[in-house]
Amino acid sequence: TKARDFTIAIDPRLVADGITEADLLEQFKLSLRVRDKVSEANQAVIDIRNVRQQINERLQKVSGRRKNEIQKLADAVMVPLTAVEEEAYQVRNRSGQDPLNYPIKLNNKIAALSGVIESADNKPTNQSVEVFNELSAQLDAELAKMKETLAKQLPLLNAALKREKLDAVDPKAKPAAPTPKP
């Protein structure tokens, strides 16, 4: 084994163009914020789909006499969550051509900023920061709707499920693995 000390330095060509380490650090920090926001959006979609799967499983087990009541409570959870999912992620994409037919949603809009931010070794433009802040605010508003629905409507559904001796829907539960097709 050999070891050697070395120093990582900024490309001298960038320095000649007036780019500083501070500029590159700003680029890196904004890229991390973009990555984290995309992850938030994608995690929200995963969580919503997990809740939907659990609700559908519970609804199949509900007796006929209480089915309408519990379905209404389930709808009070799923209708707003579905609206959040549809704003965060393009749910209609099924084939390679679908992105041409349906507009991109918040997760893709935010992710697309990575290409703009990282297209050159430079400080992010004010416009990139402004667009990121605007899209982040839109996503935060959708996530707040999701959180409110889970805080207010889900306990009502879970209380009704408990009366039917069914397990509560737990948004933090690990999603069930898909069943393999024969």
Side-chain angles (χ1 to χ4, degrees), residues 109-162:
K109 289 178 182 180
I110 296 169
L113 280 174
S114 288
V116 174
I117 294 165
E118 298 167 8
S119 65
D121 291 323
N122 208 340
K123 177 180 176 181
T125 63
N126 292 338
Q127 294 88 344
S128 294
V129 173
E130 188 176 321
V131 168
F132 173 76
N133 290 337
E134 184 179 312
L135 293 172
S136 291
Q138 290 174 24
L139 178 61
D140 290 344
E142 294 301 322
L143 296 177
K145 292 175 192 176
M146 176 181 165
K147 188 174 182 178
E148 180 180 358
T149 299
L150 293 174
K152 292 183 178 180
Q153 299 301 322
L154 188 57
L156 300 175
L157 173 61
N158 281 337
L161 291 172
K162 185 177 180 181

Side-chain angles (χ1 to χ4, degrees), residues 55-64 67 164 166-167:
I55 287 174
N56 289 337
E57 288 171 0
R58 304 310 186 273
L59 287 174
Q60 291 175 357
K61 298 174 183 175
V62 174
S63 64
K67 191 144 183 111
E164 292 293 306
L166 294 170
D167 292 336

Side-chain angles (χ1 to χ4, degrees), residues 4-180:
R4 175 181 262 177
D5 291 336
F6 63 93
T7 302
I8 298 175
I10 191 169
D11 185 333
R13 294 171 294 184
L14 296 177
V15 174
D17 288 340
I19 308 300
T20 66
E21 285 185 33
D23 294 336
L24 298 178
L25 184 59
E26 279 188 56
Q27 179 189 42
F28 177 71
K29 286 180 179 179
L30 185 57
S31 293
L32 288 179
R33 291 176 62 203
V34 166
R35 178 207 62 191
D36 292 346
K37 269 302 172 190
V38 171
S39 294
E40 273 185 74
N42 292 339
Q43 188 60 53
V45 171
I46 290 167
D47 293 345
I48 290 167
R49 290 177 178 183
N50 181 31
V51 168
R52 179 181 296 117
Q53 180 182 8
Q54 290 181 58
I55 287 174
N56 289 337
E57 288 171 0
R58 304 310 186 273
L59 287 174
Q60 291 175 357
K61 298 174 183 175
V62 174
S63 64
R65 62 185 176 86
R66 304 285 306 265
K67 191 144 183 111
N68 284 342
E69 171 197 350
I70 294 177
Q71 182 65 56
K72 286 179 185 175
L73 292 169
D75 289 345
V77 173
M78 285 316 307
V79 168
L81 290 185
T82 298
V84 170
E85 178 186 22
E86 290 174 351
E87 286 301 314
Y89 181 78
Q90 181 50 265
V91 298
R92 293 182 187 94
N93 285 343
R94 298 286 182 262
S95 72
Q97 293 292 356
D98 284 345
L100 300 173
N101 299 320
Y102 304 111
I104 64 171
K105 296 298 185 164
L106 288 171
N107 70 329
N108 283 350
K109 289 178 182 180
I110 296 169
L113 280 174
S114 288
V116 174
I117 294 165
E118 298 167 8
S119 65
D121 291 323
N122 208 340
K123 177 180 176 181
T125 63
N126 292 338
Q127 294 88 344
S128 294
V129 173
E130 188 176 321
V131 168
F132 173 76
N133 290 337
E134 184 179 312
L135 293 172
S136 291
Q138 290 174 24
L139 178 61
D140 290 344
E142 294 301 322
L143 296 177
K145 292 175 192 176
M146 176 181 165
K147 188 174 182 178
E148 180 180 358
T149 299
L150 293 174
K152 292 183 178 180
Q153 299 301 322
L154 188 57
L156 300 175
L157 173 61
N158 281 337
L161 291 172
K162 185 177 180 181
R163 287 191 299 271
E164 292 293 306
K165 298 185 178 16
L166 294 170
D167 292 336
V169 172
D170 181 3
K172 293 182 172 79
K174 186 175 178 179
T179 54

